[in-house]
Amino acid sequence: MARLHLFDLDGTLIRGSAAPVEISRQLGLLDEIGELEVEFSTGRIGSPEYARRVHALWVGLTEAHVATAFETAPWLMGIQDVWQEIRGEGDYCAVISLSPSFFVERLLGWGAHAAHGSLFPEVPFTRPVEPEGLLSPAAKVSVMNRLCAEFGVGSQNCVAYGDSMSDVDLFAAVPVSVAVNADHHLADRATHTYTGGDLREAYALVRSAL
């Protein structure tokens, strides 16, 4: 039976940072995004308010900014190698992230079978963010279920990789999980824990246990 490997983006594939932070870095708005990240991570604002304020913050955003943010982000090593190996095994790999879809979907070019993020309008922005297109931690499970149906994989054959409390619902929905550079709040809920800078090493924990 094929497996579906589900990867979080912020703090997981991007070590110690997040797509909104890397995008804001290109616009010289690190202080502003830092304040928003704290409000969101502490639960003072939810996904709709966070997205609305990020959208307003990025009024000058261009495709060039997004491309540079993607290229210079502190990615884990070995991402494309792992996804190539997953594909070679006849399995599937997907990214599910709360970050903007226009950034997350760039990972399709690295070999992900699917990449789902919060639906933002195209860059540069000419339309507002539609709340119904935003993802939440609980919505990650809904996306997983859709992908399972699409690929013909049962949830009992899914593996999740994440780093934060936004991955708790997903970890609870799968039998195997890997906490990647995570604090104890998530690590205590994971099948495996990994600290380091190479996704190949995190993936090896799963392979060795199969």
Side-chain angles (χ1 to χ4, degrees):
M1 176 69 70
R3 291 181 176 83
L4 172 58
H5 296 259
L6 301 157
F7 297 88
D8 173 55
L9 174 65
D10 301 323
T12 303
L13 297 178
I14 299 178
R15 186 179 185 185
S17 190
V21 173
E22 296 306 312
I23 293 169
S24 297
R25 188 187 309 279
Q26 301 306 314
L27 296 167
L29 297 169
L30 282 179
D31 290 342
E32 291 83 351
I33 196 64
E35 293 173 4
L36 273 179
E37 288 285 314
V38 168
E39 289 188 61
F40 183 63
S41 64
T42 56
R44 281 184 277 168
I45 59 173
S47 295
E49 177 65 11
Y50 177 86
R52 184 190 67 77
R53 290 169 62 180
V54 164
H55 179 275
L57 188 65
W58 292 344
V59 64
L61 187 63
T62 67
E63 278 289 342
H65 290 129
V66 178
T68 302
F70 186 88
E71 292 164 6
T72 60
W75 298 101
L76 290 185
M77 295 184 293
I79 294 173
Q80 295 181 63
D81 293 336
V82 168
W83 292 352
Q84 182 177 11
E85 185 171 345
I86 288 172
R87 283 177 168 268
E89 294 288 331
D91 293 336
Y92 299 93
C93 50
V95 181
I96 307 177
S97 172
L98 305 187
S99 279
S101 51
F102 59 75
F103 189 98
V104 180
E105 290 168 1
R106 288 175 174 264
L107 288 165
L108 293 171
W110 283 14
H113 287 91
H116 290 268
S118 290
L119 187 60
F120 269 62
E122 60 277 0
V123 175
F125 299 144
T126 58
R127 297 182 290 110
V129 177
E130 299 294 340
E132 59 269 19
L134 302 176
L135 294 187
S136 65
K140 287 188 173 187
V141 179
S142 298
V143 174
M144 179 197 77
N145 290 333
R146 292 202 303 270
L147 291 175
C148 283
E150 178 181 345
F151 298 134
V153 176
S155 60
Q156 71 276 13
N157 290 308
C158 289
V159 182
Y161 304 74
D163 78 299
S164 69
M165 293 301 287
S166 69
D167 301 304
V168 167
D169 290 342
L170 190 59
F171 273 36
V174 302
V176 179
S177 55
V178 185
V180 179
N181 295 317
D183 64 23
H184 70 89
H185 296 294
L186 189 69
D188 291 347
R189 304 166 186 259
T191 311
H192 308 283
T193 59
Y194 172 73
T195 301
D198 196 321
L199 188 62
R200 290 167 292 199
E201 296 171 353
Y203 177 62
L205 297 175
V206 176
R207 287 296 308 276
S208 65
L210 295 179

